[in-house]
């Protein structure tokens, strides 16, 4: 199931139990509100412990007006028992700094950071392997 917003995309990879969020351009309040709605629809198809990959490589800046909705998304994911969260940041940009600082102030889960989607996949694969070895 995939939902498009004007500048971003949210999709659920049900087979791999993943939520994939790709942010593009200047993320405005109306965009993040649609993203929140799309996340809720996609998470309904996933099971607790689902992974999240948020690709910020094409995003430039997040507007302050969207902070309340970002917090709402974070709390919603925690409530739905999110598993590993990986943020793909590429070259550090303004939006990375914004989200990293904001995330430090919100409890619920801790994100890991990757430079590209390939590294994000490796991080998740390593976590799955470790979980199998322990369990």
């Amino acid at each position: 199931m995939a939902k498009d917003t004007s500048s971003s995309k949210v999709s659920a990879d049900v087979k791999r139990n993943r939520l994939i969020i790709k942010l593009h351009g200047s993320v405005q309040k109306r965009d993040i509100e649609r993203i929140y709605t799309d996340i809720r629809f996609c998470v309904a198809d996933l099971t607790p412990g689902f992974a999240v990959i948020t690709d910020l490589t094409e995003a430039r800046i997040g507007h302050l007006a969207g902070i309340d909705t970002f917090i709402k998304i974070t709390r919603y994911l925690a409530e739905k028992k999110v598993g590993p969260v990986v943020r793909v940041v590429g070259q550090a940009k303004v939006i990375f700094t914004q989200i990293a600082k904001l995330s430090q102030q919100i409890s619920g889960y801790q994100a890991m950071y990757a430079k590209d989607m390939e590294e994000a996949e490796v991080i998740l694969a390593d976590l799955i392997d470790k979980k199998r070895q322990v369990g």
Side-chain angles (χ1 to χ4, degrees), residues 104-120:
Q104 290 173 348
Q105 300 172 14
I106 304 170
S107 62
Y109 59 83
Q110 200 166 13
M112 295 164 276
Y113 293 90
K115 68 178 186 267
D116 56 34
M117 288 296 284
E118 292 166 354
E119 184 179 359

Side-chain angles (χ1 to χ4, degrees), residues 20 24 33 43-44 50 75 79 106 119 127 130-131:
I20 301 166
H24 296 281
E33 288 172 352
V43 167
F50 61 94
R75 290 186 178 146
E79 174 187 305
I106 304 170
E119 184 179 359
L127 289 171
K130 287 178 185 175
K131 188 175 179 180

